[in-house]
Amino acid sequence: MLLEAPFTEEKIRALRVGDMVEITGVVYTGRDAVHKYLHDGGKPPVNLKDSIIYHCGPVVVKEAGKWVVKAAGPTTSIREEPYQGPLMEQYGIRAVIGKGGMGAKTLQYCQKVGGVYLHAVGGAAQVLAERVVAVKGVHLAEKFGSPEAIWEFQVERFPAVVTMDSHGGSLHAQVLEESAAKFKQLLG
Amino acid sequence: MDARALQKNLLELIRRTSAELPTDVVRAVEAGARKEKAGSNARYALEVIRDNIVMAKDKSQPLCQDTGTIICYAELPKWCDERTFRSAYEKAVVEATRVGYLRQNSVDSVTGANSGDNLGPGNPSFHFHQATGRALTVRMMLKGGGCENVSSQYSLPDTKLGAGRDLEGVRRVVLDSVLQAQGKGCGPGILGVCIGGDRGMGYVAAKETLFRELDDTNEDPRLAKLEKRIMKEGNSLGIGPMGFGGATTLLGVKFTHRNRVPASFFVSIAYMCWAFRRNGFVLSEGGRITRWLYDS
Ligand code: SF4
């Protein structure tokens, strides 16, 4: 299903675990340095109200004076677990794209503020780079270096799966529980 | 020997390895996609993966942006010494990094500084052997960080898992490693497993088994049986691609074994992600590539 900007609470609350979405709109990249910076009280250089944060350290090069995205796969999200929930609440971040899922704290905040976790396909650097149709800007690049900067990506039909929703559902918790039960059975 | 020609061939090897998946892996991904229900999260993930494989090859761009640890095996004949080979390979790595076949992926573990050219202590990781004939054989693998992080080593016996020092104990810990990894290593994964050896040798041998073709059969009938069983049982855990749930948790299982001291019994498991990048070639003394080791 399509998930188009603006990313309102109503649209996000309508999403359920297992929904396959295609995102169209602006997403902001942010990984370790950005999360730590915001958590320590740094001022966000962009308005994060109803925004989507993408855990990604992209490869972006300038060709003929224009930014071109060469690779844009997700990075492991769990490293941001201590910061993510509080930042979602403080700045009104609606959704997080990443890989590997996040923990109980983020799930709680998703329920509280109306947020979701969107799992992109890990390693799919080329497919995902192609869905970035324009680079609208870059922030904090001098401070953190290119992969850790906030890139403002205009994406079109960017594919992801809802694996944590605003109703307490987590596909990660569910798959872990089911596979652990099966494992127990195999071990007899 | 022409060192410049060697370097050029090695650069092409790195490009191919980074951008093109061997056909045995592509076939396994496609077979996995066919097994998953239409419209499922699992099918969807495998379709994105398949599209990504095609696109990376077409564009001659890295399949995954994490181009991993560079592991290189070389069987050197008399006409090429270690120093000459190492220097040619390192130059090829620097060039491959400059043109974007490889990401800047080598970080000083003490200072945190990135060397910027993929060279540094232990990078690339070389394994040299003496060749028996006149040909030079090179194999390389790019091993991603996400899947390396979920690789694991067990010491038997393991009371919690009820794993003793026998093949049944090995089966138990290997299945546990799949359970623990969930989707975090960018599954569907491929397991290289070494039974025995010391801790260091175990991991090296586990990675080496990953050079085998996915659909071959282990020469040791006991290990062949175990591979089949783990494959079946691992998939029955239902973890699926990316941990989304589904039938395709593993694309392959490869076992090898090394002798151990009586006091130790290690099982080392190298988890490889779907972006299973390995290739190699055989080079004649004249500097011509006579054969690629994998179709891509
Ligand atoms: S685990 Fe493999 S596919 Fe996933 S990001 Fe790392 S290298 Fe890429």
Side-chain angles (χ1 to χ4, degrees), chain A residues 99-100 119-124, chain B residues 25 28-29 32 36 41-42 44-50 146-148 150 178 181-191 235 239-252 271-276:
Chain A
K99 73 159 175 151
H119 199 302
V121 174
Chain B
V25 186
V29 168
E36 302 290 355
N41 293 167
Y44 176 76
L46 288 170
E47 282 171 359
V48 171
I49 287 171
R50 198 198 49 210
C147 59
E148 188 70 0
V150 299
V178 179
Q182 291 289 304
K184 289 177 290 202
C186 287
I190 300 95
L191 306 180
N235 280 328
I239 295 164
M242 294 296 132
F244 289 167
T248 320
T249 303
L250 297 174
L251 296 179
Y271 189 106
M272 176 61 94
C273 56
W274 69 261
F276 184 12

Side-chain angles (χ1 to χ4, degrees), chain B residues 30-71:
Chain B
E30 282 168 352
R34 278 196 300 274
K35 260 196 315 199
E36 302 290 355
K37 271 201 231 70
S40 65
N41 293 167
R43 173 81 160 254
Y44 176 76
L46 288 170
E47 282 171 359
V48 171
I49 287 171
R50 198 198 49 210
D51 291 351
N52 194 72
I53 294 169
V54 173
M55 202 178 278
K57 184 175 174 179
D58 282 355
K59 298 212 274 185
S60 187
Q61 294 273 341
L63 196 66
C64 175
Q65 67 204 353
D66 181 4
T67 54
T69 301
I70 306 163
I71 306 171

Side-chain angles (χ1 to χ4, degrees), chain A residues 63-136:
Chain A
E63 281 176 4
K66 246 183 82 193
W67 292 115
V68 182
V69 180
K70 291 286 183 187
T75 186
T76 302
S77 297
I78 197 71
R79 294 195 304 265
E80 318 312 339
E81 179 68 9
Y83 316 124
Q84 200 68 68
L87 291 178
M88 290 174 90
E89 180 168 45
Q90 188 179 352
Y91 294 111
I93 298 167
R94 279 280 160 238
V96 174
I97 310 173
K99 73 159 175 151
M102 299 189 77
K105 185 174 173 184
T106 305
L107 186 61
Q108 260 173 19
Y109 274 94
C110 282
Q111 281 175 273
K112 187 169 167 200
V113 305
V116 286
Y117 181 83
L118 303 164
H119 199 302
V121 174
Q126 295 307 326
V127 166
L128 299 180
E130 211 189 49
R131 304 298 169 94
V132 181
V133 292
V135 177
K136 302 188 75 175

